[in-house]
Amino acid sequence: MVSSSPRRSAESGAEFRSLYSPDLSIEEKIETIARRIYGAAGVTYTDKAKERIEFCRRQGLGRLPICMAKTPLSLSHDPALKGRPEGFVLPVTDIRAAAGAGYVYPLVGSIMTMPGLPSVPAAEHFDLDDEGRVSGLS
């Protein structure tokens, strides 16, 4: 096992190089990630995903980077495919834009995203008195 300190890594002279050019289309960026990182043989897009890609293009978001939303249990879309599977087809089911954050995120396979959270959590309004009665739930 090779161990290196962060300082040694920083001084190694290595240069960051992006996986893809921002000039590639959204589909080309997704396919580059799918093939080169995940080991996929290809990518499919639902009609909904195709419509959303076109919407992103019309809104001027085509040059944004891609951040894939997929299961954390596999490099594929399928949590049962362990290790680094190869030859599978990555199904893109939807595309969303996080325009303020500056990226587009494809949803891969059957994935759920979390809703936005309020600035003040509801738990801050709950209270438990000395007799164990809860208040602040309504």
Side-chain angles (χ1 to χ4, degrees), residues 80-127:
L81 295 176
K82 301 299 181 191
R84 187 176 190 272
E86 292 183 347
F88 62 93
V89 175
L90 195 73
V92 175
T93 56
D94 196 359
I95 303 280
R96 297 184 186 164
Y103 62 89
V104 171
Y105 61 104
L107 304 184
V108 177
S110 193
I111 190 78
M112 292 175 47
T113 57
M114 293 191 58
L117 299 174
S119 58
V120 177
E124 287 192 16
H125 304 289
F126 300 163
D127 194 21

Side-chain angles (χ1 to χ4, degrees), residues 32-89:
T32 299
I33 294 167
R35 291 177 191 273
R36 293 188 54 197
I37 303 298
Y38 301 156
V43 178
T44 59
Y45 300 90
T46 62
D47 289 339
K48 180 179 184 178
K50 290 175 186 176
E51 290 171 14
R52 299 281 178 105
I53 289 171
E54 190 51 42
F55 175 80
C56 287
R57 268 196 203 99
R58 285 193 312 269
Q59 297 301 311
L61 306 175
R63 290 183 48 88
L64 292 178
I66 300 296
C67 181
M68 305 287 263
K70 60 168 208 50
T71 178
L73 302 175
S74 173
L75 279 176
S76 77
H77 62 289
D78 182 352
L81 295 176
K82 301 299 181 191
R84 187 176 190 272
E86 292 183 347
F88 62 93
V89 175

Side-chain angles (χ1 to χ4, degrees), residues 1-24:
M1 175 165 41
V2 175
S3 175
S4 104
S5 70
R7 181 175 177 187
R8 192 170 355 155
S9 295
E11 293 171 351
S12 72
E15 292 183 32
F16 172 79
R17 190 177 48 189
S18 181
L19 183 63
Y20 53 76
S21 165
D23 296 327
L24 292 180

